[in-house]
Amino acid sequence: MSESFEAARPVGRSLPNNMEDEESLIACCIMDGADVIARCVLAGVSPMSFYESKHATVFSVLLALYGDQKPIDIMSLASELVTTRQLEAVGGHPFLSQVTQRITTTAHAGFFIEKVKQWATLRETSKACTASV
């Protein structure tokens, strides 16, 4: 897929999405680090799987940390976002704190992985249907 995170959206409607599912998956990735990110990679979750561009950006940075075999936690994520000058664009430290407080356990990471994939599939289907009209 060569589209940007901010793919064209139908006028007057938003594409199918669920911010809570996206934030919960990001929280699982931050809290459980490489284990959950590896599961995301195996399941085919990518930054393009996220509807919200700031979620896609955070996930992209988490993937980069994972790929570089760097520690994955809220401090490493924040540091990398500062380095890449993206921290304020995603909502700063308050956003990262809010996201990590969304869940209390990563036991349901598989559920959130599947939900993010399902929403991404629904968006792709919706775009394809809209384009064919």
Side-chain angles (χ1 to χ4, degrees):
M1 287 190 272
S2 62
E3 294 181 41
S4 70
F5 299 143
E6 297 289 329
R9 297 184 177 129
V11 176
R13 298 185 291 178
S14 65
L15 293 170
N17 69 85
N18 187 299
M19 296 298 116
E20 292 81 16
D21 289 342
E22 290 187 7
E23 288 184 5
S24 295
L25 179 55
I26 289 170
C28 288
C29 291
I30 294 169
M31 293 172 65
D32 215 9
D35 292 338
V36 173
I37 294 173
R39 291 170 64 188
C40 288
V41 170
L42 286 173
V45 175
S46 75
M48 294 300 297
S49 301
F50 293 85
Y51 178 79
E52 176 64 47
S53 63
K54 68 182 176 181
H55 298 161
T57 298
V58 169
F59 189 75
S60 179
V61 171
L62 288 167
L63 283 175
L65 290 170
Y66 174 77
D68 293 341
Q69 297 182 337
K70 292 182 178 176
I72 299 169
D73 55 37
I74 194 165
M75 297 307 293
S76 300
L77 174 60
S79 177
E80 189 66 21
L81 286 166
V82 166
T83 300
T84 59
R85 300 176 194 254
Q86 299 177 91
L87 181 62
E88 293 310 313
V90 300
H93 292 286
F95 172 74
L96 296 180
S97 178
Q98 168 203 333
V99 166
T100 55
Q101 292 175 16
R102 176 165 289 288
I103 62 169
T104 57
T105 179
T106 60
H108 305 295
F111 172 80
F112 296 120
I113 290 169
E114 286 306 311
K115 293 304 285 184
V116 167
K117 284 179 51 180
Q118 288 172 1
W119 287 112
T121 300
L122 284 172
R123 282 192 300 278
E124 290 303 315
T125 302
S126 179
K127 286 185 219 174
C129 290
T130 302
S132 68
V133 175

